Amino acid sequence: MQLDPKTQETLPVVIYTHESRLRRPGELFKEIWTDLRSSKELAWQLFYRKISMRYRQSFLGPLWAFIPPILVALTSTFLRESGVFEVGDTTIPYPIYVLFATILWQIFSRSLDMPLRAMGEGLALLRTVRVPVEGLLLAAIAELVFDQGIQILVLAAVFAIFHVPITWGVIPAVGALLLLIGFGMSLGLFLVPIGSLYTDIPSALPYLTRFWFFLTPILYPPPTDWPYSLLVELNPVTPLLLNVINLTTTGTMENVVTFTAISLLTVVAFVVGWVIYRVSVPLLVER
């Protein structure tokens, strides 16, 4: 049976070769951009199915998105007021500072886990149907925006109820927040090749992020005494997270040089990580 010439011209052509795709970066980036544009429908279907399944049998529904940070804020405030541990003063009321910082940390930790989780959930689909691998990431990003968007709306309501001022710096704070997400995703993209082959990486990631949580000034303001200040300053998440808070509440930035260096590193790592993800996924599917 012969195909109609017009139909045949519209069919995609796939050429298999032993040559590494990294030898032709121009063609590779063009493919990535094309698949990003064509995977919007796939991403929406995956996102809609995931959200529907999650809340179909849930009584509280989206409320689960902001219950954990509220519990962390209440617990840390109780421990502080009872004298179990002492922390310095914060620029905004301590419970709101902890709530804000915890939400930002959840955004980072979920961004870090996102590529591995998306790959694990979409592996069965990739083995049966040839779909753009970018669609898996876009669906995971949409899920992150949905969940954390609910938390940010609740945080804005808390700011309004307790009359915490929001400065003009909230506009550049959005850029700092995107860099925080990009930094987490960059690390996660680098983990996809080895993490998809060995379960040790996904198993160890929650313990790593839990330890990393306490090295980040979330339950306490940044310490100024050495060597504790050094541990916080060497933490790459610290300038990104703190500047989102500072820009939003005071309109100022701290550690501008470090923030700029990590921002540039994030952009480069994100591009390299996405290329690694794109090249490695077909090999992982074959394994």
Side-chain angles (χ1 to χ4, degrees):
M1 182 180 68
Q2 291 185 344
L3 293 174
D4 182 76
K6 294 183 179 179
T7 305
Q8 192 172 7
E9 290 179 359
T10 60
L11 292 177
V13 178
V14 181
I15 300 176
Y16 296 92
T17 175
H18 67 280
E19 184 180 15
S20 174
R21 302 171 69 190
L22 295 177
R23 291 180 177 271
R24 298 181 179 180
E27 294 183 4
L28 178 60
F29 281 109
K30 184 178 179 180
E31 289 179 12
I32 293 175
W33 175 247
T34 302
D35 285 349
L36 272 174
R37 296 176 59 185
S38 63
S39 60
K40 291 183 291 185
E41 182 64 26
L42 171 65
W44 166 252
Q45 293 296 333
L46 293 175
F47 164 72
Y48 181 79
R49 185 182 67 175
K50 183 70 177 292
I51 296 299
S52 300
M53 291 178 59
R54 185 199 304 175
Y55 295 127
R56 186 174 300 166
Q57 296 180 334
S58 175
F59 178 74
L60 295 178
L63 295 178
W64 285 110
F66 61 88
I67 287 178
I70 290 179
L71 291 177
V72 171
L74 291 177
T75 303
S76 59
T77 302
F78 171 77
L79 294 175
R80 180 177 183 245
E81 295 298 326
S82 62
V84 174
F85 67 89
E86 297 182 1
V87 297
D89 296 329
T90 53
T91 55
I92 57 178
Y94 178 75
I96 300 179
Y97 172 85
V98 174
L99 178 64
F100 196 175
T102 304
I103 290 175
L104 294 177
W105 175 261
Q106 284 192 337
I107 292 175
F108 166 74
S109 60
R110 288 198 57 183
S111 302
L112 174 61
D113 179 60
M114 180 197 309
L116 269 175
R117 184 160 41 86
M119 183 61 188
E121 295 173 354
L123 194 58
L125 176 65
L126 293 173
R127 285 173 176 167
T128 56
V129 184
R130 186 181 182 277
V131 296
V133 296
E134 282 75 15
L136 304 178
L137 283 181
L138 289 181
I141 292 173
E143 183 184 353
L144 173 69
V145 172
F146 178 81
D147 290 337
Q148 308 308 135
I150 295 175
Q151 292 185 345
I152 292 175
L153 289 176
V154 173
L155 180 65
V158 171
F159 271 56
I161 293 172
F162 292 95
H163 305 286
V164 178
I166 297 178
T167 69
W168 64 270
V170 70
I171 298 175
V174 175
L177 178 60
L178 292 177
L179 287 171
L180 182 65
I181 296 173
F183 181 70
M185 278 193 64
S186 302
L187 298 179
L189 289 169
F190 279 102
L191 292 177
V192 166
I194 187 172
S196 299
L197 296 176
Y198 303 100
T199 59
D200 303 85
I201 301 298
S203 300
L205 200 56
Y207 298 99
L208 173 63
T209 53
R210 200 171 302 162
F211 176 71
W212 200 345
F213 173 86
F214 290 104
L215 293 181
T216 308
I218 297 172
L219 304 181
Y220 53 88
T224 56
D225 298 331
W226 195 88
Y228 306 105
S229 59
L230 181 63
L231 291 175
V232 175
E233 290 175 0
L234 292 177
N235 183 352
V237 177
T238 299
L240 299 175
L241 185 145
L242 288 183
N243 277 314
V244 174
I245 298 176
N246 291 334
L247 286 169
T248 302
T249 57
T250 64
T252 60
M253 291 185 64
E254 297 180 359
N255 298 325
V256 178
V257 175
T258 306
F259 176 83
T260 304
I262 294 177
S263 300
L264 295 175
L265 176 64
T266 298
V267 173
V268 175
F270 186 83
V271 174
V272 175
W274 198 293
V275 171
I276 293 175
Y277 170 81
R278 171 75 185 208
V279 173
S280 63
V281 166
L283 301 177
L284 295 172
V285 172
E286 293 178 3
R287 292 286 297 266

